[in-house]
């Protein structure tokens, strides 16, 4: 994952796989899967605990009841301030900017940069910004994997560092997306590797991911803190694809592409302003996100938590109670979540996956009443289209939408594939959003990249 996808390898992967050092790397990857997945589990548990205390426990203690609509506003301002100070003063700029999505290039973060990545993500995710935990976990896992190799052998070859960093990233998100295979597929498609090199890189990662999944399950049973794995306990029944749903898939793909372009435009356009005064501007953006969430609760009567956070915890409830939402409320939710997501992309630290899935699901529920449409297909198409537009990873986007729906995901796969394909093509045809300088290849960040200070 440390070089351009198109560059031919300077080694023979078949020979490497049969070598003793590679077998040793497999054993090391399995061993690393235990502590790295435990660190990832602890991070997610800490984020969840802080969220529950600030937005549930503290209002009951201070106000004697549920959090009022204004409650998230000061916390989002604090979120912006803490995130900005971490990015500004700690090494590593808190990780790469999520406004650029998942990109290849660069290497795992250095050991001294992990603290900044951890703290920036903790502030962002705990205090309400609309981003997910997957990108920070990938960076932390990769950094820990590379650090372990340095501790074992300071003169380790670059390939060993790359393999162990990838294995650490695999282990860190082993069950976050619902399946170790899905998390691994996300990393591999983002890296753009294939052929025998894919097998060479993937095998240690899959092994670490499988061990990590067992650790996640074991820690869940031991601590009772939660599984932190994306799942839909209640899935709407799927229906056989029809010409009508395939036609609507084209429309959903186009809408998802346009909505994704708008979100990325907001995030990238605000980045130059953020760089003028990071602490002040990021705090102001936090204020706007908090006011957006407050307005949603006051207008709709639903909790502001639907607008805030990654959407991972709110998505199952949204799907389960899909029929309880009126069309105006769904449109308001999509608009507020879209705005908060775009603002969060510009200055905060986190991943783009879960907010995209939530907005896509809300978009699908809103479209489910169209003639010839059904709820399961609409949700799958919405999630697939939004993920394709934001991640620009069509295969991962298809898997995210179909696997989330479980057995019913098989039935809606044709519609999801059409929606993802349309969204991906339109996203690549549309002009690059934001200032031209911000989307230059040299400035693009990596899933595990150590970003330059000037491109934060």
């Amino acid at each position: 994952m440390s070089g351009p996808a198109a560059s031919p390898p300077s080694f023979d992967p078949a020979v490497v796989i049969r070598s003793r050092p590679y077998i040793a790397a497999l054993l090391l990857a399995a061993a690393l899967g235990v502590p790295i997945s435990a660190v990832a589990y602890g991070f997610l548990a800490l984020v969840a605990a802080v969220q529950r205390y600030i937005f549930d426990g503290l209002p009951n203690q201070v106000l004697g009841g549920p959090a009022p609509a204004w409650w998230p506003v000061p916390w989002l301002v604090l979120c912006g301030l803490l995130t900005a100070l971490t990015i500004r003063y700690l090494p590593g700029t808190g990780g790469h900017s999520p406004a650029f999505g998942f990109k290849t290039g660069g290497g795992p973060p250095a050991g001294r940069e992990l603290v900044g990545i951890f703290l920036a993500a903790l502030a962002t995710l705990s205090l309400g910004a609309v981003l997910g935990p997957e990108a920070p976990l990938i960076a932390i896992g990769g950094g820990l994997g590379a650090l372990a190799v340095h501790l074992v052998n300071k003169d380790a070859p670059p390939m060993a560092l790359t393999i162990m960093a990838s294995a650490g990233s695999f282990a860190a998100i082993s069950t976050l997306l619902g399946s170790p295979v899905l998390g691994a597929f996300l990393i591999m498609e983002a890296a753009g590797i294939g052929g025998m090199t894919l097998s060479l890189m993937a095998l240690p990662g899959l092994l670490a991911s499988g061990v990590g999944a067992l650790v996640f399950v074991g820690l869940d049973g031991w601590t009772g803190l939660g599984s932190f794995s994306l799942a839909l306990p209640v899935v709407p029944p799927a229906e056989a694809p029809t010409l009508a749903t395939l036609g609507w898939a084209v429309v959903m793909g186009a809408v998802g592409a346009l909505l994704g372009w708008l979100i990325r435009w907001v995030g990238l356009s605000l980045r130059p302003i953020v760089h003028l005064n990071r602490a002040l501007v990021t705090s102001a953006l936090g204020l706007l996100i908090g006011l957006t969430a407050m307005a949603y609760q006051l207008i709709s009567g639903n909790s502001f938590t639907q607008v805030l956070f990654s959407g991972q915890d709110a998505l199952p409830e949204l799907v389960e109670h899909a029929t309880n939402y009126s069309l105006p409320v769904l449109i308001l939710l999509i608009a507020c979540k879209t705005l908060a997501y775009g603002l969060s992309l510009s200055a905060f630290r986190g991943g783009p996956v879960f907010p995209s899935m939530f907005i896509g699901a809300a978009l699908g529920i809103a479209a489910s009443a169209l003639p010839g449409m059904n709820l399961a297909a609409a949700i799958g198409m919405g999630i697939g289209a939004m993920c394709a537009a934001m991640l620009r990873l069509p295969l991962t986007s298809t898997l995210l939408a179909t696997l989330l729906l479980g057995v019913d995901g098989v039935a809606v796969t044709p519609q999801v594939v059409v929606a993802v394909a349309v969204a991906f093509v339109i996203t690549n045809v549309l002009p690059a959003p934001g200032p031209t300088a911000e989307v230059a290849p040299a400035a693009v960040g990596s899933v595990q990249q150590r970003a330059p200070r000037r491109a934060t």
Side-chain angles (χ1 to χ4, degrees):
M1 295 171 63
S2 60
S7 300
S10 56
F11 54 89
D12 185 350
V15 174
V16 174
I17 289 176
R18 293 192 297 267
S19 66
R20 285 187 177 182
Y22 186 75
I23 301 301
L26 288 177
L27 297 176
L28 181 58
L32 286 177
V34 176
I36 291 178
S37 57
V39 169
Y41 184 92
F43 174 77
L44 294 172
L46 178 60
V47 169
V50 174
Q51 285 181 1
R52 284 194 300 267
Y53 177 73
I54 290 178
F55 295 96
D56 187 19
L58 192 59
N60 282 289
Q61 295 177 11
V62 175
L63 304 175
W70 57 265
W71 184 261
V73 176
W75 294 109
L76 264 299
V77 174
L78 179 62
C79 177
L81 178 62
L82 293 178
T83 303
L85 293 178
T86 302
I87 294 172
R88 177 66 180 84
Y89 293 106
L90 292 183
T93 67
H96 85 293
S97 172
F100 296 126
F102 287 100
K103 294 292 180 181
T104 58
R112 63 191 184 92
E113 298 174 346
L114 293 176
V115 174
I117 294 173
F118 181 93
L119 293 177
L122 180 63
T124 293
L125 302 175
S126 300
L127 299 179
V130 185
L131 291 170
E134 68 282 353
L137 286 180
I138 288 172
I140 291 172
L144 291 176
L147 180 61
V149 174
H150 276 299
L151 294 177
V152 173
N153 182 6
K154 292 183 179 180
D155 298 323
M159 178 54 63
L161 290 176
T162 301
I163 291 177
M164 288 302 103
S166 298
S169 296
F170 279 51
I173 61 166
S174 55
T175 63
L176 184 64
L177 299 177
S179 167
V181 176
L182 185 52
F185 202 91
L186 169 66
I187 297 174
M188 290 186 292
E189 188 179 12
I193 54 179
M196 284 297 294
T197 305
L198 173 61
S199 299
L200 177 68
M201 301 292 292
L203 191 56
L206 288 172
L207 184 58
S209 184
V211 173
L214 292 175
V215 172
F216 265 68
V217 173
L219 288 175
D220 177 27
W222 179 49
T223 65
L225 295 176
S227 65
F228 308 111
S229 179
L230 180 63
L232 293 180
V234 178
V235 178
E239 300 177 12
T242 63
L243 289 178
T245 55
L246 290 175
W248 286 122
V250 176
V251 177
M252 290 289 287
V255 172
L258 295 174
L259 192 57
W261 186 93
L262 176 62
I263 294 170
R264 292 170 54 219
W265 178 84
V266 172
L268 290 170
S269 296
L270 288 173
R271 280 174 51 80
I273 302 174
V274 172
H275 292 158
L276 297 177
N277 189 325
R278 181 171 289 278
L280 179 62
V281 176
T282 308
S283 300
L285 293 174
L287 174 64
L288 290 176
I289 295 171
L291 292 174
T292 302
M294 181 181 73
Y296 173 75
Q297 177 163 320
L298 291 175
I299 296 173
S300 69
N302 296 325
S303 173
F304 57 74
T305 57
Q306 292 185 326
V307 172
L308 301 181
F309 310 117
S310 68
Q312 178 184 359
D313 295 332
L315 180 57
E317 182 181 358
L318 176 70
V319 173
E320 181 178 359
H321 302 287
T323 56
N324 296 337
Y325 290 86
S326 65
L327 181 59
V329 169
L330 286 170
I331 294 175
L332 177 65
L333 176 58
I334 293 169
C336 291
K337 192 80 172 183
T338 294
L339 175 60
Y341 186 18
L343 296 176
S344 299
L345 284 175
S346 65
F348 294 85
R349 291 297 184 258
V353 173
F354 291 113
S356 303
M357 297 181 72
F358 185 91
I359 294 173
L363 186 65
I365 295 171
S368 62
L370 292 170
M373 184 73 88
N374 66 82
L375 183 58
I379 292 174
M381 289 187 289
I383 292 176
M386 282 303 304
C387 288
M390 293 304 300
L391 306 181
R392 286 159 285 176
L393 303 174
L395 298 179
T396 299
S397 299
T398 302
L399 288 176
L400 282 169
T402 54
L403 294 182
L404 182 63
L405 294 174
V407 176
D408 292 316
V410 176
V412 303
T413 299
Q415 301 98 305
V416 172
V417 168
V418 172
V420 166
V422 172
F424 183 73
V425 170
I426 294 179
T427 297
N428 284 277
V429 169
L430 290 171
T436 303
E438 290 288 354
V439 296
V444 173
S446 163
V447 173
Q448 300 178 351
Q449 185 173 5
R450 187 167 40 191
R453 177 73 66 176
R454 62 180 174 82
T456 61

